[in-house]
Amino acid sequence: MYSSTGYTRGQIDRLVVLIRDLENAGYSLAYPPSLGLRKSIIITLTYLRRNHTQDDLADRYATSQPTISRTIAAMTPVLADATADWIPVADDLDPEVVLIIDGTLLPCWSWADVPDLYSGKHHTTGVNVQVAATLSGRLLWVSDPLPGSTHDLTALRASGLLDGDRDATIIADKGYIGAGLITPIKKPPKGELTDDRKQFNKELNAIRATIERTIAHLKTWRILHTDYRRPYHTFAQTITAVLGLQFLKLAS
């Protein structure tokens, strides 16, 4: 089960309790009665973790594709709401903790009515999110998604992470030069870097490799790594559900 969902049986039990608590507080659940709550959670987790087609999931769980579609549509917002308290915002971050920052594209199909999803950097369509981790690679924060055409520095400034006084050192790549962060040193026009500066860049890039591994680990939720196929207006909520599930795991 863990390889399909990313969650152990005990962690799924915890999700069931969280969702039942929502229901007892008046939250309306609409999962298919033929599947029940627990199986509806497992199907949705499998979809988010593996990004299987709905037909594949229908075959696996001996039901119809429309039932799988209804399950995912009903349970994704429930999972997002049930885990929302575990998703940190920029103000939650300890200002004294050293951060490594990088942006990544979460790909989706090309919707003709949303042309700014296209990222020239990545040569595909998707949304830009900014990711922060510790020097050891622990995921700390992910920004709200912006269209894929958004430059990383613009996206970081819009996220609120740089607002106010932050004493922490923030390490980033050359795309963030000009924001007061620690970034690699650019080679001067028609010149070369000194050996000291080359060594500085080498050491900084070795540190930055940590955030790339953090992002790769986050994208083991394949819904964030391969093209998102559901309607675009549901993508942000799906991202929220995945982040809530990931941060809940980290807290357990």
Side-chain angles (χ1 to χ4, degrees), residues 3 76 108 110 127 153 208 228 236 239-241 243:
S3 63
T76 300
C108 62
S110 178
V127 296
L153 180 52
R208 284 193 53 260
Y228 185 74
I239 294 168
T240 300
L243 295 179

Side-chain angles (χ1 to χ4, degrees), residues 185-198 201:
I185 301 168
K186 277 188 173 182
K187 186 169 68 174
K190 299 181 181 180
E192 295 292 335
L193 292 174
T194 65
D195 289 343
D196 286 348
R197 292 190 170 194
K198 288 180 181 179
N201 284 354

